[in-house]
Amino acid sequence: MQWETVIGLEIHAQLATRSKIFSGAATAFGAAPNTQACAVDLGLPGVLPVLNREAVVMAVRFSAAIGADLERRSVFARKNYFYPDLPKGYQISQFELPIVGRGRVEILLDDGTARTIGVTRAHLEEDAGKSLHEDFHGLTGIDLNRAGTPLLEIVSEPDMRSAREAVAYARKIHQIVRYLGICDGNMQEGSFRADANVSVRPFGAELGTRAELKNINSFRFLERAINFEVERQIDLLESGGTVVQETRLYDPDRDETRSMRSKEEANDYRYFPDPDLLPVELDDEFVAAAIADMPELPDVRRVRFCEEYALGQTDAVQLTANRELADYYEATVRAGGDARLAANWVTGELAGALNREGMEIGQSPVSAMMLGGLLQRISDNTISGKIAKQVFDAMWGGGGSADEIIQSQGLKQITDSGALEEIVNAVVDENRSQVDAYRQADEKKQAKMLGFFVGRVMQASKGKANPKQVNELLRRKLAP
Ligand code: ADP
Ligand code: MG
């Protein structure tokens, strides 16, 4: 039988507020355990939650970014369950009336086709604490620093049909929240978590029973976890079994998913509106202020890059992958780099160097100003593209600006025809037999043989000869 995969994602984006969603405690990652949890986060008797305005602003921005129906009235609800890292015995979330309603995002697949994925809703909620199972022999530690950290849970429609589509969608959401500056997107630290709901069905049939996959902390693992799960479900169904609805943990070491618990139903949580919090009511003024300084969004920027800089789709996709990189590219162009040349260098030489060093664009020792300066010298023929790579490496190593390096290392291209002619003459004299062979060869062969002479001249000039001039000169000298 031909099986169709169906995937819906629940993404938790930790909002980049300085303090928690209902208290003034700090949200910074990595503090000593239990030093960032106040009485509100601990749920001590008599405390009252106070909503963090900034978290609401961020949700409004997200809503606008995915063209969603922003709900002017939303309600916080208590989701009741018991777990040691949840001291109150309930999580404050939104249930029936979330702040962000239906929206959509467009994903671009590797083959260049676009697909629209529906977002069902996004709601604000607080995170729970963390249980530390590994640090204490036979005991579990509880760190409540994360308790009360604001989350935006973004729930998709079951619109994805393969692990690759799911990854493309997750990457798109990741890109959007990072462009908006509402989430740092760090998957290792858990500030961006994707749970995948996966089912299979015979093509065109009704939705199959799904499993929810958790503990996925990279895009690569997301793809792998889904692929493993799809195989498992198909094998199960084909051997006469049934899929049970459950939560499964992905184990990256063994590359498999394992059953964790049967899936709770919403009514197990006894949701009810939190009596300590008023409904969130957004007026026009608040919404207008929240979206007033929205940055240009990635899709818009990508299209603009194609038009304004005459870039191909692949370059535009790569250059707008994140805001810092797109800013860097545009700053390079402003600093005098030709748009196409700059695209080649940023996606080529620069991306390669960053990759090698495991650096983010913000850490690049070569600033956009410096790269723009280097590209200017290629455009005005001061140096060749090849020498430019040498200059780039020197800049990367802290050797100063392109002009300083060209000057101090004497890398200026030799364009003086007298000087070039001398070198060419010397090469011709030193290679008499090749010259004779060249003169007897037909045109096609000659074209090939010319490379040998060009190579010699470039070598003799330490790469500084202007290649175009060298070609012309050689052709003249070698003519019978
Ligand atoms: P819950 O409240 O149990 O998390 P939801 O109905 O909110 O369940 O769905 C959660 C996610 O599961 C959504 O992203 C939705 O698109 C996805 N989903 C629902 N049914 C299926 C299915 N049969 N197969 C795959 N994904 C599904
Ligand atoms: Mg859910």
Side-chain angles (χ1 to χ4, degrees):
M1 176 146 20
Q2 279 280 65
W3 298 93
E4 184 177 29
T5 301
V6 175
I7 304 156
L9 296 188
E10 291 168 281
I11 291 176
H12 288 89
Q14 182 178 314
L15 296 175
T17 56
R18 296 232 304 277
S19 58
K20 294 189 176 172
I21 184 167
F22 300 118
S23 83
T27 53
F29 181 85
N34 298 309
T35 57
Q36 290 184 167
C38 70
V40 172
D41 307 321
L42 298 178
L44 297 187
V47 298
L48 282 174
V50 177
L51 179 58
N52 183 337
R53 182 191 174 93
E54 203 49 35
V56 179
V57 168
M58 290 178 176
V60 172
R61 288 164 82 86
F62 179 76
S63 179
I66 62 161
D69 304 325
L70 178 68
E71 301 300 343
R72 292 305 184 97
R73 185 171 187 279
S74 63
V75 170
F76 283 104
R78 292 187 180 178
K79 179 181 182 178
N80 300 281
Y81 66 92
F82 173 80
Y83 206 72
D85 60 23
L86 188 75
K88 295 199 297 292
Y90 61 86
Q91 175 194 25
I92 305 178
S93 181
Q94 295 187 312
F95 182 55
E96 278 167 334
L97 297 170
I99 185 164
V100 180
R102 211 161 257 284
R104 67 213 56 79
V105 298
E106 193 168 273
I107 57 170
L108 271 183
L109 302 172
D110 289 346
D111 64 3
T113 56
R115 279 208 58 203
T116 300
I117 305 295
V119 172
T120 317
R121 57 183 278 163
H123 59 260
L124 286 167
E125 62 184 25
E126 60 176 347
D127 208 345
K130 242 188 214 162
S131 298
L132 309 168
H133 299 295
E134 272 140 37
D135 306 351
F136 312 94
H137 293 285
L139 299 171
T140 292
I142 304 288
D143 178 6
L144 292 171
N145 283 351
R146 207 180 60 183
T149 298
L151 300 177
L152 188 66
E153 176 172 345
I154 304 154
V155 182
S156 85
E157 290 289 297
D159 280 351
M160 289 147 276
R161 295 291 172 269
S162 68
R164 307 196 100 181
E165 285 186 19
V167 170
Y169 165 79
R171 281 187 181 279
K172 171 99 304 173
I173 296 289
H174 187 255
Q175 185 187 38
I176 291 171
V177 296
R178 291 192 61 212
Y179 260 77
L180 294 173
I182 64 173
C183 172
D184 69 21
N186 190 324
M187 295 181 83
Q188 292 300 319
E189 294 177 1
S191 1
F192 187 91
R193 315 194 281 268
D195 299 339
N197 292 271
V198 179
S199 66
V200 298
R201 62 179 175 188
F203 267 89
E206 284 186 13
L207 286 181
T209 305
R210 68 190 151 110
E212 181 172 347
L213 313 181
K214 287 187 178 284
N215 192 41
I216 297 168
N217 64 6
S218 73
F219 293 117
R220 195 162 55 95
F221 290 157
L222 177 61
E223 181 162 350
R224 287 212 198 166
I226 292 170
N227 283 331
F228 173 86
E229 182 61 18
V230 167
E231 286 300 309
R232 188 189 70 88
Q233 291 184 14
I234 292 175
D235 286 350
L236 196 59
L237 293 169
E238 291 192 336
S239 58
T242 49
V243 175
V244 290
Q245 188 166 333
E246 62 183 354
T247 303
R248 298 177 68 86
L249 275 194
Y250 177 66
D251 178 346
D253 296 329
R254 302 169 69 164
D255 192 24
E256 62 178 28
T257 65
R258 281 199 301 275
S259 181
M260 180 167 96
R261 57 168 186 250
S262 67
K263 176 80 191 166
E264 319 78 1
E265 297 294 328
N267 56 16
D268 294 335
Y269 290 119
R270 312 302 296 260
Y271 280 99
F272 65 87
D274 192 315
D276 289 343
L277 287 157
L278 289 168
V280 183
E281 294 194 350
L282 305 174
D283 57 26
D284 292 347
E285 210 183 322
F286 184 92
V287 175
I291 62 177
D293 54 349
M294 290 264 285
E296 186 179 29
L297 290 165
D299 289 352
V300 176
R301 201 165 192 184
R302 188 188 72 234
V303 172
R304 179 169 66 78
F305 273 25
C306 287
E307 287 166 2
E308 190 173 336
Y309 302 119
L311 301 181
Q313 180 85 320
T314 316
D315 279 346
V317 165
Q318 206 180 331
L319 290 170
T320 55
N322 63 67
R323 205 168 138 189
E324 295 73 25
L325 186 66
D327 288 346
Y328 184 102
Y329 169 72
E330 295 208 271
T332 305
V333 175
R334 276 198 305 276
D338 167 81
R340 292 282 200 97
L341 194 60
N344 290 341
W345 275 76
V346 173
T347 60
E349 210 64 18
L350 180 78
L354 291 171
N355 213 359
R356 251 194 322 278
E357 308 278 340
M359 283 179 180
E360 300 289 331
I361 183 73
Q363 302 167 294
S364 170
V366 176
S367 69
M369 275 302 284
M370 291 162 75
L371 184 59
L374 172 64
L375 302 188
Q376 268 187 43
R377 293 299 160 257
I378 302 176
S379 299
D380 68 12
N381 280 320
T382 305
I383 52 173
S384 66
K386 198 159 170 208
I387 290 286
K389 292 190 176 165
Q390 197 178 321
V391 177
F392 179 85
D393 288 342
M395 287 202 297
W396 187 271
S401 73
D403 284 342
E404 285 162 0
I405 293 162
I406 293 167
Q407 181 67 36
S408 67
Q409 300 192 15
L411 296 174
K412 202 166 171 314
Q413 191 157 246
I414 305 169
T415 49
D416 169 36
S417 43
L420 272 184
E421 203 160 348
E422 250 176 60
I423 302 174
V424 169
N425 284 340
V427 168
V428 168
D429 285 343
E430 282 158 21
N431 297 283
R432 287 318 317 184
S433 58
Q434 279 88 345
V435 173
D436 291 342
Y438 178 94
R439 287 183 174 152
Q440 279 150 25
D442 61 22
E443 234 172 90
K444 226 168 114 196
K445 266 221 176 108
Q446 281 185 341
K448 270 194 199 155
M449 293 169 79
L450 193 65
F452 164 80
F453 295 101
V454 174
R456 284 295 157 99
V457 174
M458 294 312 283
Q459 211 172 20
S461 72
K462 301 205 174 63
K464 292 187 290 185
N466 176 301
K468 200 163 149 242
Q469 276 175 293
V470 171
N471 266 279
E472 281 162 11
L473 266 176
L474 273 170
R475 250 187 263 274
R476 256 204 351 255
K477 298 272 172 200
L478 292 172

